[in-house]
Amino acid sequence: LQENITAEGREIGAKGEILDKKLYWMATVYRIDRNDIPQANPSYQAGESGEFPPGVSQYIGAGAERSEGAELEVFGDLTKSWSFTAAIGAMDARTLKSLNDRASIGVVLLRAPKTNWGVTTRYRFTDGPLKGIGAGAAVRYTDSYFARYGTFGSEVTGTGVITDQIRLRYGPANRVEEFRPSTTLADVFVNYSFKTGRYNHSLAFNVKNVLGKEWWTVTGRQGVEREMRLSYGVRF
């Protein structure tokens, strides 16, 4: 059993309106410290007989990490039919303390991109022969990040653009850091809403990653190269 990880966070923000209250904005800065992170105990070593010392914990809460950054979001309706959302974030997340891996102190945490941003826009026809039809697009960017710290080589399969991103960075000569490259993905969607009696119908067609790029999620899983989805819904 491990002791609980403790955390302390501080955040401050502001919000406002622009363009005659057509758009709203929110900005925040934050810092989060995580302490008592379990790590392997260097004193937990087997003796000559192969037995481990009694009463010595295999893991101890000796690690500490810090994440700090800022976020900005702008959203609203530019016209009765046209909506817009944009967001950007920047983060620096590093190891502050490590008892069993002192070379990692100050090193960026795994799966922590420094920057990311996204823009989504949508237009919906409210009059005329196209009434009920909506269409839009979204663009999402994720900065490069560390996917794995390990030894010798890559444990990940994929094309060379992924598996070749292995660099010697710190510690022993066989210590490697495996990167994921930055990715910009685009989605498009169109939908149609109509009413029959007391029933409200909706048809939607979405294409995610419309350009079919190879990309990896921040959890280390390979993303779908292109995904098309058709859906229908009814409310009454």
Side-chain angles (χ1 to χ4, degrees):
L1 296 179
Q2 303 297 317
E3 297 293 334
N4 291 332
I5 295 176
T6 61
E8 178 182 334
R10 291 170 288 280
E11 182 177 3
I12 186 172
K15 58 183 179 180
E17 305 166 347
I18 55 178
L19 298 180
D20 296 327
K21 298 184 179 181
K22 293 180 180 179
L23 291 180
Y24 302 87
W25 61 269
M26 294 189 302
T28 59
V29 293
Y30 63 88
R31 191 177 87 176
I32 301 171
D33 292 324
R34 300 176 72 239
N35 300 298
D36 306 318
I37 299 173
Q39 295 184 327
N41 186 354
S43 300
Y44 188 76
Q45 301 290 336
E48 295 182 357
S49 62
E51 296 182 356
F52 290 91
V56 177
S57 299
Q58 184 176 358
Y59 296 94
I60 54 177
E65 301 170 348
R66 172 175 293 169
S67 301
E68 51 191 354
E71 298 175 345
L72 173 64
E73 184 177 5
V74 180
F75 58 94
D77 298 322
L78 294 170
T79 67
K80 183 175 67 174
S81 301
W82 182 21
S83 63
F84 172 85
T85 300
I88 184 171
M91 178 180 65
D92 185 69
R94 299 178 182 271
T95 297
L96 291 183
K97 185 171 65 172
S98 179
L99 184 65
N100 62 349
D101 187 7
R102 298 186 183 278
S104 68
I105 297 176
V107 174
V108 175
L109 298 180
L110 292 179
R111 298 180 293 278
K114 287 186 176 181
T115 59
N116 61 83
W117 57 262
V119 177
T120 302
T121 184
R122 173 176 176 168
Y123 189 88
R124 186 172 184 272
F125 294 92
T126 57
D127 301 298
L130 298 180
K131 181 179 179 180
I133 295 178
V139 178
R140 296 169 286 131
Y141 170 82
T142 302
D143 201 358
S144 58
Y145 60 91
F146 297 97
R148 187 180 68 89
Y149 298 136
T151 55
F152 299 108
S154 172
E155 297 176 353
V156 178
T157 58
T159 63
V161 71
I162 301 297
T163 56
D164 291 346
Q165 299 300 310
I166 302 173
R167 307 175 188 179
L168 297 177
R169 282 285 180 167
Y170 69 91
N174 63 350
R175 192 63 178 267
V176 298
E177 295 175 348
E178 186 174 299
F179 280 65
R180 294 290 180 270
S182 60
T183 307
T184 303
L185 302 177
D187 307 331
V188 295
F189 51 90
V190 61
N191 63 280
Y192 175 57
S193 301
F194 60 97
K195 186 175 182 179
T196 58
R198 63 189 184 94
Y199 297 95
N200 295 288
H201 308 268
S202 62
L203 281 170
F205 180 64
N206 297 269
V207 183
K208 292 185 175 293
N209 190 13
V210 66
L211 300 179
K213 288 189 174 183
E214 181 179 7
W215 65 287
W216 295 73
T217 69
V218 292
T219 61
R221 297 176 181 271
Q222 186 173 10
V224 178
E225 291 193 8
R226 184 181 291 110
E227 180 181 0
M228 292 180 285
R229 186 177 298 176
L230 179 66
S231 60
Y232 165 77
V234 60
R235 293 185 302 167
F236 55 89

